[in-house]
Amino acid sequence: MGLLSLLTSNPTAFVIIALALVLSLAVHEFAHAFVADRLGDPTPRRYGRVTLNPLKHLDPFGTLLLLLAGFGFAKPVPINPNNLGRWGTLWVAAAGPISNILIALLAAGLLAVLPPTDLGFQVLLYVLSINIVLAVFNLIPIPLLDGSRILGALVPSLGRSLAQFEAMPFSFLIVMAFIFLAQEPIGVLIGNVRSFVLGLVGFR
């Protein structure tokens, strides 16, 4: 279910979740661009992606999907693996999910000192949950997601096959169709990890 359903039922939650998602996605993509830039690949800077400005990272179609279908995407950060090498490519891929994990840890730390009735507490709870979901989803080894890039760097032969698939004309549509058809098991996986992590920090 998309976010639009919250507009009438809980407008405050809609605004909080939408802002948290936009900012978390922006940090995620910035992390990819920043690490690539620091490791010597000028491609992200050339495309203006080494920034926290959400407008540079949001994809119109991906944002619309997020609102309507409950899942979406930001613009992938363009990189040149030839400038990064195998391990540089791995760190660039991992940077996005790591940034979401760090945000989740920061939110969990702040939640420990805020009273549960405080509005900031509720906002941080949303932030914590959203970043857990983003980290777990992006670590799934599905082509075009960060998990596949990490796996491809660890297993070069598989990485070459994944790169060939991603270069196919309709690879994006194939992946989107797969995610749509597999959204129930993917949702169960993410939900279980989310519940486990929230339970570890004392929230459900």
Side-chain angles (χ1 to χ4, degrees):
M1 184 180 295
L3 290 179
L4 286 180
S5 61
L6 286 175
L7 262 178
T8 53
S9 61
N10 194 337
T12 301
F14 171 83
V15 172
I16 292 172
I17 293 173
L19 287 175
L21 265 172
V22 166
L23 293 175
S24 298
L25 284 170
V27 170
H28 179 103
E29 298 303 330
F30 166 75
H32 287 311
F34 177 78
V35 172
D37 185 66
R38 293 301 297 268
L39 291 178
D41 182 10
T43 312
R45 186 170 295 278
R46 189 181 308 133
Y47 283 87
R49 301 299 297 276
V50 189
T51 176
L52 285 169
N53 180 359
L55 296 178
K56 293 289 187 178
H57 301 297
L58 293 182
D59 180 275
F61 180 62
T63 303
L64 182 63
L65 269 181
L66 194 63
L67 292 171
L68 297 177
F71 70 91
F73 53 90
K75 293 178 187 174
V77 172
I79 63 168
N80 185 346
N82 293 326
N83 294 329
L84 296 165
R86 176 184 174 188
W87 299 114
T89 301
L90 184 150
W91 281 112
V92 170
I98 288 173
S99 72
N100 295 126
I101 292 170
L102 291 176
I103 293 173
L105 289 173
L106 177 61
L110 293 173
L111 283 167
V113 299
L114 285 177
T117 55
D118 190 272
L119 177 61
F121 183 93
Q122 299 302 319
V123 171
L124 287 169
L125 199 54
Y126 280 126
V127 170
L128 173 62
S129 182
I130 285 169
N131 279 277
I132 291 171
V133 170
L134 286 175
V136 175
F137 177 73
N138 278 284
L139 285 172
I140 298 173
I142 296 173
L144 302 178
L145 296 184
D146 298 327
S148 71
R149 306 283 167 78
I150 295 170
L151 184 60
L154 292 172
V155 186
S157 58
L158 180 58
R160 288 189 289 273
S161 297
L162 288 169
Q164 289 173 355
F165 170 80
E166 292 180 8
M168 291 170 55
F170 301 106
S171 61
F172 173 78
L173 294 178
I174 294 171
V175 171
M176 292 303 296
F178 174 80
I179 291 174
F180 179 77
L181 293 173
Q183 60 181 312
E184 185 172 343
I186 290 174
V188 170
L189 169 66
I190 293 174
N192 287 340
V193 176
R194 174 183 171 276
S195 297
F196 175 74
V197 175
L198 289 177
L200 285 179
V201 297
F203 304 106
R204 291 289 182 182

